[in-house]
Amino acid sequence: MRCEYFDAGVCRSCTLLPQPYPEQVDAQQRHVRTVLGDPAGVTWLPTVTSAEAGFRNKAKMVVAGTVEAPTLGILDGHGHGVDLQGCPLYPPSLSVAFAPLAAFVTRAGLTPYDVPTRTGELKHLLVTASPDGELMIRFVLRSTEALARIRKHLPSLRAALPHLVVASVNVQPVHAAVLEGDREVLLTERETLRMLVNGLDLHLRPRSFFQTNTEVAAALYRQAVAWADETQVTSAWDLYCGVGGFALHLARPGREVVGVETSAEAVASAQMTARDAGLPGTRFLAGDATSFALAAGDVPDLVVVNPPRRGLGEPLSRWLEASGVPRVLYSSCHAGSLARDLAHMPSLRPVRAQVLDMFPHTLHHEVLTLLERT
């Protein structure tokens, strides 16, 4: 993939871009195996690769510049805007929104937030595209000062972007490297963006997490289901379930599945998908995964964990070790935290693993590991 921004030295986010993609893929698997200590007895499946360009389903655009000439992209080392509207990581369904959004900033009089002086209102534009080309757009503002103007001019944005189905304002008042705040104001009748994955319409609310690469996420869920079905799992937990990707894919007649997630919005999304898809035997709870596990009585046949980069942490890892659960599916976005957690679970040995290149041209990775009790 060629990128004019990388060549010009204005954006180096894709740190591995000069390296041919097949070499990137090989290096990722070597890195993961090395960090995990290349444990014996593990069957490594071929790495799931990605399209080299146009694979991102979400754009997190820092807004800078001026009302008359906003930039959408990133900040340079001095806190000034670098416009990246032509970034090749975005598919046409996303990039088509950038110019109308820049024009909307001017039309609605949304003053970009200036980091050096801590002035202005509009901090980020978060744009998500579904596989069907529908859009969710979130305006991250310092306050609600511009909310009325956004509401007033929103019809013109929807006319320019007919596939815009969900729009909201997020309020993030603090001067910190925090993407979004706790308050969300919905601006449209639709509350969710439908992400069609492996035939399932996963409902995505504005503050719900979803994998950045839809095609690779679909492969991740398919592999998890294949391993679960081989062992005839009748009960499963999906801890850190998000909008229910693993749990909803695992749902089968005769199989009880429980998903646990701290985000109430994500839980509501998962419940909506389960209802629409007619998936009995699924239950979703808003709460802390570790607290849920420690308070549980019986354990299931399978526990799926998909924690953030920091990993499970010692309390949950040690609980899994002592619980007697026969199998764990661990989906990790950081091999280092996975290795730390595995050290607390010596009785749960990796037997199968697969690296999935969710983030081409970077050092980030996803690895799915099946652990079985010895």
Side-chain angles (χ1 to χ4, degrees):
M1 183 186 81
R2 291 295 304 273
C3 174
E4 62 183 47
Y5 302 112
F6 189 93
D7 293 342
V10 297
C11 177
R12 292 303 176 99
S13 299
C14 294
T15 54
L16 303 182
L17 196 57
Q19 187 176 13
Y21 186 58
E23 293 181 14
Q24 295 180 32
V25 172
D26 291 342
Q28 285 283 29
Q29 184 167 111
R30 289 196 304 272
H31 169 75
V32 170
R33 293 179 69 157
T34 299
V35 172
L36 297 183
D38 208 4
V42 179
T43 300
W44 287 89
L45 276 65
T47 297
V48 173
T49 58
S50 168
E52 295 184 45
F55 59 84
R56 290 189 64 95
N57 57 34
K58 184 174 184 178
K60 302 175 183 179
M61 309 296 272
V62 179
V63 184
T66 65
V67 174
E68 294 76 19
T71 62
L72 311 184
I74 60 174
L75 299 179
D76 64 16
H78 303 288
H80 301 134
V82 177
D83 194 87
L84 298 180
Q85 292 187 46
C87 173
L89 299 185
Y90 301 123
S93 58
L94 266 182
S95 58
V96 71
F98 298 152
L101 280 169
F104 183 82
V105 170
T106 303
R107 184 182 308 113
L110 306 178
T111 306
Y113 184 71
D114 183 70
V115 171
T117 62
R118 304 190 182 190
T119 59
E121 282 293 319
L122 180 59
K123 294 184 172 184
H124 299 96
L125 286 168
L126 309 180
V127 189
T128 306
S130 75
D132 296 329
E134 292 185 333
L135 294 173
M136 175 165 64
I137 296 176
R138 302 171 64 203
F139 300 85
V140 181
L141 300 174
R142 187 184 186 190
S143 72
T144 57
E145 181 271 332
L147 181 58
R149 296 198 302 280
I150 291 176
R151 289 187 187 276
K152 175 183 176 181
H153 294 284
L154 188 60
S156 66
L157 182 62
R158 300 188 76 170
L161 296 173
H163 296 298
L164 170 58
V165 295
V166 182
S168 66
V169 163
N170 179 273
V171 183
Q172 201 288 81
V174 299
H175 180 79
V178 178
L179 185 65
E180 60 187 63
D182 295 330
R183 183 182 176 191
E184 197 85 23
V185 181
L186 192 67
L187 304 175
T188 52
E189 303 81 11
R190 279 266 298 268
E191 298 181 3
T192 66
L193 184 69
R194 291 190 294 267
M195 304 293 288
L196 183 63
V197 181
N198 297 324
L200 270 176
D201 263 331
L202 300 178
H203 287 270
L204 187 63
R205 277 180 161 77
R207 295 185 64 214
S208 300
F209 169 78
F210 188 74
Q211 297 283 6
T212 301
N213 192 320
T214 306
E215 289 301 317
V216 177
L220 175 69
Y221 298 140
R222 290 195 300 270
Q223 188 58 68
V225 168
W227 286 345
D229 287 349
E230 281 181 14
T231 54
Q232 299 182 333
V233 167
T234 60
S235 58
W237 293 351
D238 179 6
L239 306 183
Y240 308 95
C241 71
V243 296
F246 284 106
L248 293 162
H249 278 81
L250 286 169
R252 297 282 188 278
R255 178 184 292 168
E256 295 184 1
V257 181
V258 179
V260 182
E261 166 61 43
T262 57
S263 168
E265 280 206 356
V267 167
S269 297
Q271 291 170 334
M272 185 180 297
T273 301
R275 183 181 65 245
D276 290 355
L279 298 174
T282 56
R283 186 162 56 101
F284 293 94
L285 307 172
D288 177 72
T290 301
S291 299
F292 170 82
L294 268 57
D298 296 335
V299 297
D301 298 334
L302 174 70
V303 174
V304 180
V305 291
N306 184 24
R309 286 179 61 82
R310 65 178 180 272
L312 300 177
E314 188 171 344
L316 183 52
S317 298
R318 291 200 181 280
W319 179 88
L320 286 166
E321 167 67 15
S323 68
V325 63
R327 296 174 189 85
V328 173
L329 266 175
Y330 195 135
S331 182
S332 170
C333 61
H334 191 273
S337 60
L338 171 59
R340 290 193 297 271
D341 290 338
L342 290 177
H344 297 306
M345 300 184 286
S347 297
L348 287 162
R349 305 294 299 171
V351 294
R352 297 185 191 177
Q354 184 173 44
V355 176
L356 300 100
D357 194 18
M358 198 80 71
F359 317 99
H361 318 303
T362 75
L363 294 170
H364 300 292
H365 53 262
E366 192 82 17
V367 56
L368 182 66
T369 306
L370 175 63
L371 313 175
E372 292 187 346
R373 190 169 295 278
T374 56

